[in-house]
Amino acid sequence: MESAFAAIDMPRTLADSAYSSLKRDILDFRLAPGDRFTETEIAERLQVSRTPVREALFRLEREGYLEVRQRNGWLVRPLDFNTLDHFYELRSVLEAAAVHALCAPGQGPDPMHALQPLADIWLVDASERSTDCEWLADLDERFHIELVAAAGNPEIARVHRAATERIRIVRRLDFTQPDRIDSTYDEHGAILSAILARDGAGAARLLQAHIQDSQDAVRKITLHRLYSTRRAKAA
């Protein structure tokens, strides 16, 4: 299975490699919101010069993950729930449009063909459901990305993928809660069943409710929970 991190899995230069390592550190909570560090510390840890590290850091700053502090090095940007809300709302609009395109009579690819790999994951008996939180977080991201990609508009898919990546850190925290794991299976299964039945309105309604539930869960995330998750990963 292709990893949800595929876009950062193939470094081509030292700067790419530093970028990939730092981004993974952020998304896996080894560098948590509010953490501070210097270029020298990162260069020593990655065993590269400061030049590729600096390039990687500025790239992550442009993407919204870091802030540069002229006298105090770098800061992992604190969680901004207003910004996260924006990305959730964007995803909701784009995914609803994709669902309607998939279900439109005589338009787009056959939903069964396009979405069969997702159906094989999410439309399973309860006894076959995974409880691996990290794996499910990646699968959840894949569900939303492939749903939009299946509608066949590459530009919309690109914008959607970028928005999905920006909420990845909190979505992965969301999957540390057992009730969210069960509800995600149920909700994804219902959405897919509606699409396969060509019920565009029903699928869009279910999808938007699913995204809203996720957005509400994210609002409950605290720094205590984030740091607790980081300690558990390090143990």
Side-chain angles (χ1 to χ4, degrees), residues 17-18 58 86 103 106 108 113 122 147 149 179 181 192-193 222:
S17 181
F58 278 112
H86 166 76
C103 295
H113 175 73
W122 298 104
L147 189 67
D179 60 324
I181 294 173
L192 286 169
S193 295
T222 64

Side-chain angles (χ1 to χ4, degrees), residues 42-56:
I42 297 299
E44 290 176 352
R45 179 163 64 81
L46 298 180
Q47 297 186 323
V48 296
S49 70
R50 290 175 58 185
T51 298
V53 167
R54 186 177 301 114
E55 183 178 333

Side-chain angles (χ1 to χ4, degrees), residues 10 29-30 51 72 79 85 101 151 159 180 204 215 217 226:
M10 299 177 64
F29 324 125
R30 288 185 291 272
T51 298
N72 303 107
L79 295 179
D85 283 344
V159 173
R180 291 296 300 152
Q215 187 173 353
L226 191 152

Side-chain angles (χ1 to χ4, degrees), residues 97-99 101-102 108-109 114 146-153:
V99 162
L102 284 167
E146 293 191 5
L147 189 67
V148 173
N153 187 315

Side-chain angles (χ1 to χ4, degrees), residues 81-98:
F81 288 104
N82 290 330
T83 299
L84 291 172
D85 283 344
H86 166 76
F87 287 117
Y88 270 101
E89 289 158 9
L90 176 59
R91 287 176 69 235
S92 183
V93 170
L94 296 179
E95 291 180 30

Side-chain angles (χ1 to χ4, degrees), residues 11-232:
R12 296 178 301 277
T13 67
L14 286 176
D16 289 334
S17 181
Y19 166 84
S20 298
S21 296
L22 288 166
K23 194 167 192 178
R24 281 183 179 277
D25 285 344
I26 293 169
L27 296 176
D28 285 340
F29 324 125
R30 288 185 291 272
L31 286 173
D35 281 359
R36 297 175 183 271
F37 57 88
T38 66
E39 291 177 8
T40 300
E41 289 169 346
I42 297 299
E44 290 176 352
R45 179 163 64 81
L46 298 180
Q47 297 186 323
V48 296
S49 70
R50 290 175 58 185
T51 298
V53 167
R54 186 177 301 114
E55 183 178 333
L57 292 172
F58 278 112
R59 182 176 171 186
L60 289 165
E61 181 196 29
R62 291 193 298 272
E63 293 179 1
Y65 292 100
L66 300 176
E67 295 178 7
V68 61
R69 299 297 177 93
Q70 297 299 332
R71 295 185 179 180
N72 303 107
W74 291 82
L75 173 76
V76 181
R77 182 168 288 182
L79 295 179
D80 180 344
F81 288 104
N82 290 330
T83 299
L84 291 172
D85 283 344
H86 166 76
F87 287 117
Y88 270 101
E89 289 158 9
L90 176 59
R91 287 176 69 235
S92 183
V93 170
L94 296 179
E95 291 180 30
V99 162
H100 283 296
L102 284 167
C103 295
Q107 297 183 25
D110 175 14
M112 178 59 78
H113 175 73
L115 300 177
Q116 187 60 55
L118 295 182
D120 291 342
I121 294 170
W122 298 104
L123 292 174
V124 296
D125 186 80
S127 63
E128 299 178 51
R129 294 179 174 182
S130 173
T131 57
D132 184 325
C133 297
E134 291 194 19
W135 189 62
L136 283 170
D138 284 348
L139 287 180
D140 174 74
E141 183 169 298
R142 172 181 167 183
F143 172 87
H144 292 278
I145 288 173
E146 293 191 5
L147 189 67
V148 173
N153 187 315
E155 181 58 24
I156 289 178
R158 183 191 65 78
V159 173
H160 175 267
R161 182 182 287 271
T164 299
E165 182 174 90
R166 289 300 305 276
I167 65 171
R168 182 182 290 167
I169 185 170
V170 289
R171 287 296 293 133
R172 291 173 74 79
L173 281 172
D174 190 15
F175 274 88
T176 61
Q177 307 303 302
D179 60 324
R180 291 296 300 152
I181 294 173
D182 290 336
S183 63
T184 296
Y185 264 105
D186 293 338
E187 292 163 13
H188 284 187
I191 293 164
L192 286 169
S193 295
I195 296 172
L196 295 175
R198 294 278 189 175
D199 179 7
R205 185 171 59 253
L206 289 167
L207 181 61
Q208 289 175 323
H210 167 67
I211 293 174
Q212 184 63 57
D213 285 347
S214 175
Q215 187 173 353
D216 292 343
V218 162
R219 280 284 182 179
K220 300 175 185 177
I221 290 174
T222 64
L223 284 179
H224 172 74
R225 185 164 138 203
L226 191 152
Y227 280 101
S228 295
T229 302
R230 181 166 72 170
R231 284 194 297 271

